[in-house]
Amino acid sequence: GAGVSQSPRYKVAKRGQDVALRCDPISGHVSLFWYQQALGQGPEFLTYFQNEAQLDKSGLPSDRFFAERPEGSVSTLKIQRTQQEDSAVYLCASSLRLTNTDTQYFGPGTRLTVL
Amino acid sequence: QKEVEQNSGPLSVPEGAIASLNCTYSDRGSQSFFWYRQYSGKSPELIMFIYSNGDKEDGRFTAQLNKASQYVSLLIRDSQPSDSATYLCAVEDRGSTLGRLYFGRGTQLTVWP
């Protein structure tokens, strides 16, 4: 595709609900990152995939957060039993990652509001 | 925990002026530095990256890196109202996760006509 796409763009959940956020990276991009951006803050790393392998999940804030990329393309970030502190914009980024100069391209993000 | 600090602003400059955005980082061994622009409600967009000490120019933008002082800056010459956005400084992780970025909280820039 032309760029990284994410869906839904907006999600309102009641506290305790489960949510699933989808990321479609640029075709052929090996690396995929998820970041969380709270209001007024910079993005914070959540997790990283190289193809289908989740190589780093050290940024996931709790075991309620789970991410997968089973076929090395589309990725899903799932949050179970959402809490108000999960309210943020969730950004997905992808890159070719053939060299360390590759640009990370960000998707438009999913704004999650937990009531 | 790697820290990336930015002057929070807001920074307000008149059209045509030079806007100067500053960033410091805690990991002395960091090698790669990025400036992203983020319009309100939009995703970050890469505008410059720099790896070597000194200046790097791209059009109206100049990135400056001083690894000894752990300092990176972005200068925007001939600022335009369309430059009004939040500018995020990011430092790349040196560990096993290539590409993992540590971001500052951003500096909000307003360019008034």
Side-chain angles (χ1 to χ4, degrees):
Chain A
V4 179
S5 60
Q6 294 185 245
S7 60
R9 292 293 312 280
Y10 303 92
K11 177 68 178 178
V12 178
K14 292 183 179 178
R15 188 162 54 94
Q17 282 185 330
D18 298 349
V19 298
L21 312 180
R22 177 187 169 104
C23 172
D24 278 272
I26 295 172
S27 179
H29 276 197
V30 170
S31 295
L32 186 146
F33 299 83
W34 283 98
Y35 292 88
Q36 179 191 60
Q37 187 172 23
L39 188 64
Q41 304 294 318
E44 290 195 5
F45 171 83
L46 293 177
T47 188
Y48 164 65
F49 291 86
Q50 183 174 303
N51 296 307
E52 69 279 3
Q54 189 176 20
L55 299 185
D56 188 343
K57 55 182 180 180
S58 62
L60 296 176
S62 77
D63 58 8
R64 296 186 295 104
F65 288 71
F66 172 77
E68 60 183 3
R69 193 186 185 198
E71 297 178 358
S73 55
V74 171
S75 178
T76 303
L77 176 67
K78 297 179 180 178
I79 309 173
Q80 296 177 322
R81 304 181 303 282
T82 53
Q83 304 295 314
Q84 285 188 322
E85 61 262 29
D86 300 335
S87 296
V89 175
Y90 290 84
L91 295 164
C92 175
S94 72
S95 75
L96 275 172
R97 210 61 220 179
L98 296 178
T99 73
N100 64 359
T101 61
D102 287 333
T103 299
Q104 279 189 42
Y105 295 91
F106 281 83
T110 295
R111 182 177 298 276
L112 173 65
T113 303
V114 181
L115 303 177
Chain B
Q1 178 68 16
K2 297 175 176 59
E3 300 290 335
V4 180
E5 300 289 340
Q6 296 183 250
N7 48 343
S8 58
L11 176 65
S12 182
V13 301
E15 185 173 357
I18 295 175
S20 177
L21 305 162
N22 305 314
C23 174
T24 59
Y25 58 94
S26 63
D27 185 354
R28 180 170 291 278
S30 296
Q31 299 290 326
S32 306
F33 308 88
F34 304 82
W35 283 100
Y36 282 83
R37 177 176 62 199
Q38 188 172 30
Y39 292 113
S40 180
K42 302 296 185 182
S43 58
E45 172 193 12
L46 181 68
I47 51 174
M48 294 255 344
F49 61 84
I50 187 167
Y51 305 128
S52 303
N53 273 330
D55 295 358
K56 179 181 179 182
E57 187 174 317
D58 183 1
R60 297 186 295 111
F61 298 95
T62 299
Q64 299 175 316
L65 175 60
N66 183 328
K67 291 184 179 180
S69 300
Q70 295 174 238
Y71 175 89
V72 59
S73 67
L74 180 70
L75 300 178
I76 307 175
R77 291 182 301 280
D78 187 24
S79 296
Q80 301 297 309
S82 59
D83 294 327
S84 298
T86 295
Y87 289 80
L88 297 163
C89 172
V91 178
E92 187 173 21
D93 183 53
R94 288 191 305 128
S96 59
T97 301
L98 291 177
R100 173 176 178 167
L101 298 175
Y102 294 88
F103 285 88
R105 64 185 301 169
T107 299
Q108 185 177 345
L109 172 66
T110 300
V111 181
W112 45 275

